[in-house]
Amino acid sequence: FGILDQKRKSEDALRATGCSYAIVRPTGLNDAWPSGRTVLSQGDMAVGRINRDDVAELLCALVAEPAAAGKTFEAMGLPTYPKLRSLKGVLGRLRTDAQLAPTGGTLSDAELAVEYALLQQLLPGETGDAAALAMGQTYEQLDTGEQGRLGARGEEQAPLVPQ
């Protein structure tokens, strides 16, 4: 039972229906995160935060946006940047799942490297290293050397949920 495996199975089931869809993968949901521009990316590389109101606003906008159809993408919030009036241009630059199918449903290794390098610059906090986070640790805790709620990196004690 891996939550990411379950999410992937659900996404695949939706794609297989033949219905028009857009799969949105929000980064860390955080009600205290300031509202701002929503940044969309592909490749399952996005890290960061987004507040729930911005996710709701994004989902409502996508309902009326044909350029979102057949695409899977991540969404993160970039506080203090003004929101775009339209997502049409951003969505138009994203690839459909069908276009990504020949490469296993994701970007090429070279494209992933560029996407990752760019997104790392948008991380919250001062450390700028998502790979250094422990499960349950915030970027602010990482910056100050504070341990996260689940323990030190590599020693996390995640609660087990019976199935």
Side-chain angles (χ1 to χ4, degrees):
F1 172 81
I3 189 66
L4 297 180
D5 292 333
Q6 295 300 318
K7 287 180 179 182
R8 173 63 85 185
K9 287 178 185 176
S10 298
E11 291 176 359
D12 289 344
L14 177 59
R15 289 182 191 102
T17 65
C19 295
S20 181
Y21 68 86
I23 296 173
V24 180
R25 297 171 173 162
T27 56
L29 295 170
N30 186 315
D31 291 333
W33 192 244
S35 185
R37 179 173 297 178
T38 299
V39 176
L40 306 179
S41 67
Q42 287 183 302
D44 208 9
M45 303 289 282
V47 292
R49 297 186 182 135
I50 188 167
N51 81 36
R52 285 174 172 82
D53 289 343
D54 285 349
V55 174
E57 188 176 310
L58 171 65
L59 295 174
C60 289
L62 293 176
V63 169
E65 187 51 73
K71 296 178 180 177
T72 300
F73 49 90
E74 297 76 48
M76 65 179 283
L78 195 56
T80 72
Y81 272 69
K83 294 182 180 189
L84 295 174
R85 293 182 183 149
S86 169
L87 294 171
K88 185 176 181 178
V90 173
L91 291 165
R93 289 187 283 278
L94 298 179
R95 297 192 196 144
T96 65
D97 291 347
Q99 291 169 322
L100 292 171
T103 56
T106 191
L107 303 173
S108 71
D109 288 347
E111 291 168 316
L112 286 172
V114 170
E115 185 101 357
Y116 182 77
L118 175 64
L119 292 172
Q120 290 299 296
Q121 296 177 63
L122 302 177
L123 286 174
E126 299 167 356
T127 305
D129 184 7
L133 281 173
M135 286 184 356
Q137 184 181 34
T138 67
Y139 290 99
E140 292 79 9
Q141 289 171 322
L142 178 64
D143 288 344
T144 62
E146 183 182 342
Q147 187 170 290
R149 63 183 169 84
L150 299 178
R153 179 162 173 74
E155 301 172 15
E156 297 96 332
Q157 297 296 314
L160 297 178
V161 180
Q163 296 189 20

